[in-house]
Amino acid sequence: MPEFPYSRLRRWPDVEAENLQAHDATDLLLVARALAEAGERGLDGTQIAVIGDEYGAVTLALTDAGLRGIRVHQDLATGRRALARNAADLGLDGFASHELDAALLDGARLVLLQLPKALAELEEIADAVARWAATDVVLVAGGRVKHMVLAQNEVLGRSFSRVQAQRAERKSRLIVASEPRPVSETPPFPVSAQHEGLTLVAHGGAFAGARLDIGTRVLLDALRLASRFLSEERSDETKGVREPGKDVLDLGCGTGALAVSYALAHPAAQVIATDRSAAAVASARATAAANGVADRITVTQDDAASEVATASVDVVLLNPPFHLGTSIHTGAATRLFEAAARVLRPGGELFTVFNSSLGYRAELTRLVGTTEQLHRTPKFTVTRSIRRP
């Protein structure tokens, strides 16, 4: 059998750069282990589930090897689109995408996992495997050694009686978990927490969990201080364009803190909240429901607001990421600035919070329009950009 053409895989629509690849050594180790397990245990593709396959390297390599019917869960919309595109480019099919639920794992005897960054996400995944997969399931989790911690073994040990770390190869390592433990009647996620009248609900894969992260808190404080920009006291540049704040987009909404806070403060507003993470979308929907504003917030999984109409919103709220997976890369923020510029009406406003060291103000001015600083702390800066005509 010819070697799978990993080099043909692309990250698109995710950021692409010379130092960002669509596969790594962990993918190769997972594939090799899966093929060995399938051969030794007589598994077919319908008994295999793949979780966290960033751009489809594991799923497509196994499909190419003849394992049909694999079930796959990718948290990110970018990963789902990259998998579909890579599959089409290679002429491969015979796999099915699922959410992290019983349909993904029912009857699965082998689960392959690219280890997530967050221990909470790993805990939710491990519980789901123990809860819904076959009783003889083997979970093979892999990651880059430099990003692995002993706590990951401890988390897996809560759901599995046997957890064995394998020898590192090519700076990656596999952890094999088996013999699932009995699960509690209620899954450990989502969790919730109260924050000064705001209830946040979070699944394990949602950024910051049920906490109100510092950047979001700073942006919310700045919006309260700058409420004149969202009232009748408009600048000459935006006065008369449209009644302010009617159509609002929380771009990269996470658990929905910004979207829900805005909806609570502005009862006439209709809010769209989008995020590329399935865990974030589920969390934001639950947060909206917990705060009684689900009827005014539409939450969708999307990449960089690709499904939001051009020039259709008055206000964009944005707390952009500056990581792509485990890599620090400003490209993710740039894509969101471009998206904000596209969806804002002329005179519409983009409120952004970012790490002060990143100095995004010039880029926001270039991509969106006139940008001013509203608030600054030792760590974060909040800006307001006016969409040029």
Side-chain angles (χ1 to χ4, degrees):
M1 179 183 299
E3 185 175 346
F4 181 74
Y6 290 100
S7 61
R8 289 181 56 183
L9 300 177
R10 290 187 54 188
R11 295 167 54 95
W12 185 95
D14 209 343
V15 176
E16 295 186 303
E18 289 186 4
N19 65 326
L20 298 173
Q21 305 301 318
H23 74 284
D24 63 16
T26 307
D27 294 319
L28 274 62
L29 290 182
L30 287 168
V31 170
R33 179 67 185 234
L35 292 174
E37 288 274 344
E40 292 171 6
R41 300 171 63 198
L43 305 179
D44 61 33
T46 64
Q47 297 172 304
I48 299 174
V50 180
I51 301 175
D53 190 6
E54 288 187 301
Y55 306 103
V58 176
T59 302
L60 295 178
L62 294 178
T63 300
D64 187 58
L67 291 166
R68 314 291 289 181
I70 292 172
R71 289 166 282 175
V72 56
H73 170 68
Q74 297 161 290
D75 180 60
L76 300 184
T78 45
R80 299 179 186 197
R81 295 177 183 182
L83 170 59
R85 178 165 177 160
N86 286 326
D89 181 60
L90 294 170
L92 295 171
D93 57 17
F95 58 87
S97 294
H98 292 268
E99 299 303 329
L100 183 63
D101 56 19
L104 170 74
L105 294 162
D106 183 38
R109 299 179 62 205
L110 176 64
V111 177
L112 307 172
L113 170 66
Q114 270 273 9
L115 283 165
K117 288 172 56 179
L119 293 176
E121 184 174 4
L122 178 60
E123 181 181 359
E124 186 168 18
I125 292 169
D127 175 83
V129 175
R131 184 175 299 275
W132 292 314
T135 56
D136 65 345
V137 66
V138 174
L139 170 62
V140 181
R144 301 295 279 171
V145 171
K146 63 182 178 180
H147 301 305
M148 298 176 73
V149 294
L150 286 175
Q152 292 171 326
N153 299 49
E154 297 170 5
V155 169
L156 290 171
R158 296 173 198 160
S159 295
F160 295 88
S161 297
R162 297 188 63 187
V163 177
Q164 298 175 308
Q166 308 298 295
R167 172 183 288 184
E169 298 181 47
R170 289 172 284 183
K171 300 182 180 180
S172 291
R173 188 191 302 277
L174 299 180
I175 304 173
V176 180
S178 58
E179 300 179 11
R181 298 180 184 275
V183 297
S184 62
E185 183 176 345
T186 304
F189 292 90
V191 296
S192 63
Q194 298 291 323
H195 302 276
E196 300 175 6
L198 175 68
T199 302
L200 285 184
V201 184
H203 285 269
F207 174 71
R211 294 178 292 108
L212 190 62
D213 77 274
I214 301 174
T216 296
R217 188 184 298 274
V218 171
L219 179 52
L220 285 173
D221 289 344
L223 287 172
R224 296 186 188 104
L225 291 171
S227 60
R228 66 184 181 277
F229 295 128
L230 302 172
S231 68
E232 289 78 10
E233 298 177 19
R234 310 289 281 172
S235 67
D236 291 338
E237 189 172 1
T238 60
K239 190 176 294 182
V241 172
R242 184 177 173 86
E243 187 176 349
K246 281 293 188 181
D247 298 305
V248 181
L249 171 64
D250 182 357
L251 183 54
C253 63
T255 56
L258 291 172
V260 170
S261 295
Y262 194 101
L264 289 171
H266 303 274
Q270 291 293 321
V271 182
I272 301 171
T274 73
D275 201 290
R276 63 178 189 155
S277 163
V281 166
S283 302
R285 285 176 179 153
T287 295
N291 290 275
V293 290
D295 60 328
R296 292 193 289 113
I297 299 180
T298 301
V299 186
T300 63
Q301 186 176 14
D302 192 10
D303 172 39
S306 66
E307 297 177 5
V308 178
T310 298
S312 63
V313 302
D314 303 298
V315 174
V316 174
L317 310 174
L318 176 59
N319 179 3
F322 58 93
H323 282 83
L324 287 172
T326 54
S327 301
I328 296 177
H329 200 287
T330 59
T334 298
R335 291 184 74 235
L336 296 180
F337 298 159
E338 292 170 342
R342 181 183 65 78
V343 302
L344 278 169
R345 296 184 173 103
E349 300 167 304
L350 166 63
F351 293 89
T352 312
V353 61
F354 51 86
N355 192 301
S356 298
S357 64
L358 296 174
Y360 283 143
R361 185 171 174 179
E363 187 169 17
L364 285 163
T365 298
R366 178 177 64 86
L367 293 174
V368 182
T370 302
T371 298
E372 62 179 322
Q373 177 179 300
L374 293 183
H375 185 54
R376 186 182 179 96
T377 71
K379 188 172 182 179
F380 291 100
T381 296
V382 177
T383 58
R384 170 181 178 253
S385 305
I386 304 298
R387 179 68 171 98
R388 63 175 60 88

